[in-house]
Amino acid sequence: KIKKYRPLFRVVKKIKLRKFLPSLLPMDLTNINCSHVDIGFLSDMEGDSVRIERKTDLGPGGLTTNRLIVSCPNKDYVNEYSAVMPEEDIIHLLSKSENKIKKYQYDLKHDDINVSINRYTLGIITIDIDASSPINSLPEYCGKEVTDDSQYLEICLSGMREVLKKKRSKVKIKTE
């Protein structure tokens, strides 16, 4: 049972990311800062969804971040409404999630560019880079760009997009 409290949502303006498939992996990933991320999606009857994320740093100290995230994409950035929640509540919400996905996220820098290598338990690997990074300074291990390919969105990798389509198709639109 979830405790009654008011989560404090904060708005985080995030730069959109460019997503790539790797042409090759940059190095031995075991030496890079890594986090284990559990992601779940919940939806309402209208087919709107919310993301639940539990991220555990696998380095010394093992800090865990538990967040409830509502994303509102715009043209150049994504507004994320994020609330940090108690671990037991996030674990409960993840257990109720209709679709889940797990990944290992490796964070590194390449010429002052933040790079995240995401290794999903499905066997898929993607590389995320800040969209404002110049094209000539991309790491050599970035292969085909898949930023606009929806099959590589986490909501699609989890299978949640199909659940939302079914729910939205059942919603009756009121006409006057």
Side-chain angles (χ1 to χ4, degrees), residues 62-76:
L63 178 67
T64 299
T65 306
N66 301 291
R67 298 189 306 160
L68 183 70
I69 302 167
V70 180
S71 295
C72 301
N74 290 309
K75 183 180 176 193
D76 300 319

Side-chain angles (χ1 to χ4, degrees), residues 4 98 100 135 147 157:
K4 290 185 179 182
E98 295 157 280
K100 300 174 194 143
I135 191 79
T147 303
L157 292 173

Side-chain angles (χ1 to χ4, degrees), residues 37-42 51-55 66-67 87-101:
V37 185
D38 290 302
I39 301 166
F41 296 93
L42 292 173
R51 172 185 170 121
I52 300 109
E53 181 179 289
R54 183 170 190 257
K55 183 175 183 178
N66 301 291
R67 298 189 306 160
E87 184 172 16
E88 60 271 13
D89 291 350
I90 289 293
I91 290 170
H92 174 75
L93 288 172
L94 281 169
S95 73
K96 299 296 182 189
S97 297
E98 295 157 280
N99 291 69
K100 300 174 194 143
I101 191 165

Side-chain angles (χ1 to χ4, degrees), residues 9-78:
F9 280 92
R10 62 184 174 85
V11 179
V12 180
K13 186 175 179 179
K14 289 181 66 176
I15 302 295
K16 280 198 174 180
L17 299 174
R18 293 175 65 191
K19 191 174 289 285
F20 297 86
L21 296 178
S23 57
L24 56 104
L25 289 181
M27 61 198 80
D28 180 13
L29 294 178
T30 57
N31 297 325
I32 299 173
N33 182 36
C34 179
S35 299
H36 178 260
V37 185
D38 290 302
I39 301 166
F41 296 93
L42 292 173
S43 65
D44 61 16
M45 293 309 293
E46 285 81 37
D48 295 319
S49 69
V50 65
R51 172 185 170 121
I52 300 109
E53 181 179 289
R54 183 170 190 257
K55 183 175 183 178
T56 304
D57 183 4
L58 299 178
L63 178 67
T64 299
T65 306
N66 301 291
R67 298 189 306 160
L68 183 70
I69 302 167
V70 180
S71 295
C72 301
N74 290 309
K75 183 180 176 193
D76 300 319
Y77 58 89
V78 174

Side-chain angles (χ1 to χ4, degrees), residues 104-167:
Y104 291 92
Q105 180 176 321
Y106 302 87
D107 296 317
L108 58 132
K109 285 225 183 245
H110 173 82
D111 294 338
D112 292 327
I113 298 171
N114 291 326
V115 177
S116 290
I117 298 173
N118 303 298
R119 185 172 55 88
Y120 296 93
T121 54
L122 301 167
I124 295 171
I125 298 175
T126 62
I127 301 168
D128 293 338
I129 297 177
D130 181 335
S132 65
S133 301
I135 191 79
N136 59 348
S137 66
L138 291 175
E140 65 282 350
Y141 47 85
C142 287
K144 178 183 175 188
E145 184 166 4
V146 293
T147 303
D148 296 324
D149 190 339
S150 64
Q151 72 178 329
Y152 293 101
L153 295 174
E154 288 174 345
I155 197 165
C156 294
L157 292 173
S158 75
M160 188 65 183
R161 171 107 2 131
E162 295 306 314
V163 171
L164 295 176
K165 281 182 187 176
K166 287 178 187 174
K167 285 188 175 188

